[in-house]
Amino acid sequence: MIEGKTLEQWQAEYPLLELIRGYEPVLWTGGKTYGADETIRALPLGKEDVLAAEVRLRRFAPYIARVFPETESGGGIIESPLTGAPDMKQAIEEMFMVPLEGELFVKEDNKLAVSGSIKARGGIYEVLKRAEDLALSAGMISEDGDYSVFAEDRFKEYFSQYSIVCGSTGNLGLSIGIMSAELGFNVTIHMSDDARAWKKEMLRSKGVNVVEHSDDYSKAVEQGRLESEQDPKSYFVDDENSKTLFFGYAVAAVRLKEQLAEQNIKVDGNHPLNVYLPCGVGGGPGGIAFGLKVIFGDDVHCYFAEPAHSPCMLIGMMTGCHDRLSVADFGLDNKTAADGLAVGRPSGFVGRLLEGLIAGVYTVSDNQLFRMLALARITEGFKLEPSALAGFMGPAVVPDDGGNTIHIVWSTGGEMVPEAVWQEYYETGKAML
Ligand SMILES: *Cc1c(COP(=O)(O)O)cnc(C)c1O
């Protein structure tokens, strides 16, 4: 029995499960595309939370510019470019033999400063908020003061008595680890054994404690949580349930609105946005989708993209059972080269919050991810990690209604991948073209 039903009953109720169980790429469009304003009004979180997060990041901008000089030209705002990808669009049209109306843009979170992935949004934001909370209650700053003082030794000394703890398969650990270490926190990242070796090495080189676990990822997270809860000076970043992380991601929507305006791209009912977001546990894509619905309402349609071997959000959304079901319940192995998306059970918090706001979820095979990885390099020069390619299938998979759709593919990571590791990905993909 699976949540009170037999497999046969599940399959009868949700025919798509048969394809999902066979690891076939599928598209589920049972989500909700319209009525965003009403849906959001009924939720416990809203626009004011997203805007407050955006303002907090602006308070920290002088500090970020000071400690991460690569962000200086952007005024200490960590943001990724929105890039037109006409050659990639043409390549997708040829590969899938589908005509794509409208333009294709790539939101290059792979180029986000400091940690080179979408996790630089939520992870860095949560650590900054923790630092601000501590400094405010210690009377070391005021909200209208100059936050570049956070770089001073007295702050580092103060934060060194506090710890930050996180369980992570990789990119979240990088973001939390780098930011926490820079502020002077004592930071510990719990990782599973199979996390990429280079990520562990990079973190250790920055003074982060990396604890490896031979059990699975969720046990590593649980272990970290338990240890952290025993220590009042310790702060645990909860990948699955953190609202702070979620709002950090959501700020992307405010920035995207500015970028679209700068590039004279009009968004309205006749020029809708289709946004394709790679999904693991759900916090990153969920936060961004929430922000987008808050800002653009019914003029944006958000699709989550998952590996065919790890369709946890798809199963959770389709059945409405969210974190009560895991992919293993349906016999799926959760094995994928897209390590940022290799998650067997979705965030229940994100699933329940977003169920009335996203348009659909689709899955992709690892082979497709590798093919797209090579294609994105050849056509546009992008350096992406496998997880970051899931969104690229969106324009080919999601039926295009109307010729004015603006397709935005969220490319979520890649910049930090060592060259030799990346070359292997590339060769794998190129051999499949
Ligand atoms: C974490 C991650 C995602 C997905 O984010 P979730 O919050 O886990 O859903 C997508 N791409 C990359 C590269 C990631 O590291």
Side-chain angles (χ1 to χ4, degrees):
M1 296 293 270
I2 309 161
E3 271 290 300
K5 291 178 204 171
T6 64
L7 183 57
E8 288 67 33
Q9 285 172 318
W10 279 112
Q11 297 214 143
E13 202 171 331
Y14 302 101
L16 208 58
L17 272 173
E18 187 161 347
L19 293 173
I20 294 170
R21 292 186 66 242
Y23 299 118
E24 295 289 333
V26 298
L27 166 67
W28 171 78
T29 52
K32 223 175 132 219
T33 316
Y34 297 101
D37 290 352
E38 214 186 338
T39 306
I40 291 166
R41 268 200 299 277
L43 294 174
L45 317 176
K47 185 171 189 169
E48 59 287 355
D49 298 304
V50 181
L51 297 182
E54 196 270 335
V55 171
R56 177 168 288 111
L57 286 170
R58 266 193 277 143
R59 284 202 289 276
F60 271 102
Y63 165 72
I64 295 291
R66 185 161 161 189
V67 295
F68 300 116
E70 72 268 33
T71 67
E72 231 180 302
S73 61
I77 296 294
I78 299 171
E79 193 44 70
S80 66
L82 176 69
T83 310
D87 294 344
M88 184 72 185
K89 178 186 157 184
Q90 196 185 339
I92 293 173
E93 287 180 309
E94 284 164 13
M95 181 178 266
F96 299 97
M97 295 186 294
V98 288
L100 286 185
E101 310 286 348
E103 278 184 88
L104 175 66
F105 292 88
V106 177
K107 186 70 175 127
E108 293 190 80
D109 275 13
N110 50 292
K111 288 192 179 153
L112 280 175
V114 183
S115 64
S117 83
I118 185 171
K119 302 295 195 307
R121 298 184 181 281
I124 288 176
Y125 176 70
E126 177 140 18
V127 175
L128 291 176
K129 180 167 189 302
R130 171 69 175 158
E132 184 185 56
D133 288 345
L134 289 172
L136 281 171
S137 44
M140 296 170 80
I141 48 153
S142 63
E143 279 190 14
D144 55 1
D146 175 5
Y147 276 29
S148 64
V149 294
F150 274 89
E152 292 174 6
D153 284 344
R154 62 194 173 95
F155 278 81
K156 289 192 179 176
E157 240 160 71
Y158 185 71
F159 293 139
S160 70
Q161 55 177 318
Y162 292 95
S163 348
I164 293 193
V165 180
C166 171
S168 166
T169 50
N171 284 333
L172 184 64
L174 278 184
S175 296
I176 301 280
I178 292 171
M179 193 66 250
S180 303
E182 181 60 44
L183 279 158
F185 285 108
N186 184 349
V187 52
T188 300
I189 308 293
H190 293 272
M191 284 189 162
S192 53
D193 263 354
D194 55 357
R196 305 265 159 182
W198 63 266
K199 289 182 180 170
K200 298 176 196 166
E201 281 158 28
M202 184 181 292
L203 282 174
R204 287 190 171 123
S205 78
K206 293 183 191 291
V208 174
N209 314 309
V210 176
V211 183
E212 295 178 57
H213 299 267
S214 47
D215 291 325
D216 67 9
Y217 168 65
S218 53
K219 283 197 186 137
V221 176
E222 200 41 41
Q223 168 113 8
R225 184 201 311 273
L226 290 175
E227 282 175 23
S228 183
E229 275 171 4
Q230 288 164 9
D231 179 356
K233 288 200 163 175
S234 182
Y235 181 87
F236 181 75
V237 178
D238 185 342
D239 194 8
E240 283 175 44
N241 298 299
S242 168
K243 292 191 177 74
T244 308
L245 269 182
F246 189 81
F247 294 136
Y249 290 118
V251 170
V254 181
R255 311 260 184 82
L256 181 67
K257 188 182 181 191
E258 289 166 12
Q259 290 179 318
L260 288 164
E262 277 161 20
Q263 299 187 30
N264 291 316
I265 301 160
K266 190 169 76 174
V267 180
D268 58 29
N270 291 320
H271 304 83
L273 293 177
N274 270 15
V275 182
Y276 310 102
L277 296 147
C279 180
V281 74
I288 292 172
F290 180 76
L292 289 169
K293 294 305 276 187
V294 158
I295 302 285
F296 295 102
D298 290 342
D299 298 339
V300 65
H301 309 305
C302 299
Y303 292 88
F304 288 174
E306 296 187 300
H309 284 244
S310 311
C312 66
M313 190 60 82
L314 167 58
I315 290 177
M317 286 276 188
M318 180 173 75
T319 60
C321 288
H322 303 295
D323 55 348
R324 295 204 307 278
L325 289 174
S326 87
V327 300
D329 292 334
F330 293 96
L332 298 172
D333 63 11
N334 191 25
K335 287 209 165 88
T336 170
D339 47 5
L341 312 182
V343 177
R345 191 184 294 276
S347 158
F349 153 63
V350 172
R352 278 179 270 275
L353 202 70
L354 270 284
E355 72 187 346
L357 293 172
I358 70 160
V361 186
Y362 64 87
T363 59
V364 296
S365 70
D366 274 23
N367 283 359
Q368 271 318 358
L369 294 178
F370 279 112
R371 260 185 224 121
M372 286 284 162
L373 186 145
L375 212 56
R377 172 56 149 221
I378 293 163
T379 56
E380 307 285 349
F382 295 146
K383 182 196 172 197
L384 305 178
E385 62 184 270
S387 296
L389 276 305
F392 282 84
M393 295 294 292
V397 165
V398 173
D400 188 352
D401 47 357
N404 301 323
T405 304
I406 301 147
H407 302 275
I408 298 184
V409 166
W410 220 279
S411 75
T412 47
E415 203 61 30
M416 301 293 263
V417 178
E419 210 47 43
V421 176
W422 188 82
Q423 274 300 327
E424 256 178 66
Y425 292 151
Y426 179 64
E427 295 303 329
T428 306
K430 216 169 80 176
M432 292 177 186
L433 285 177

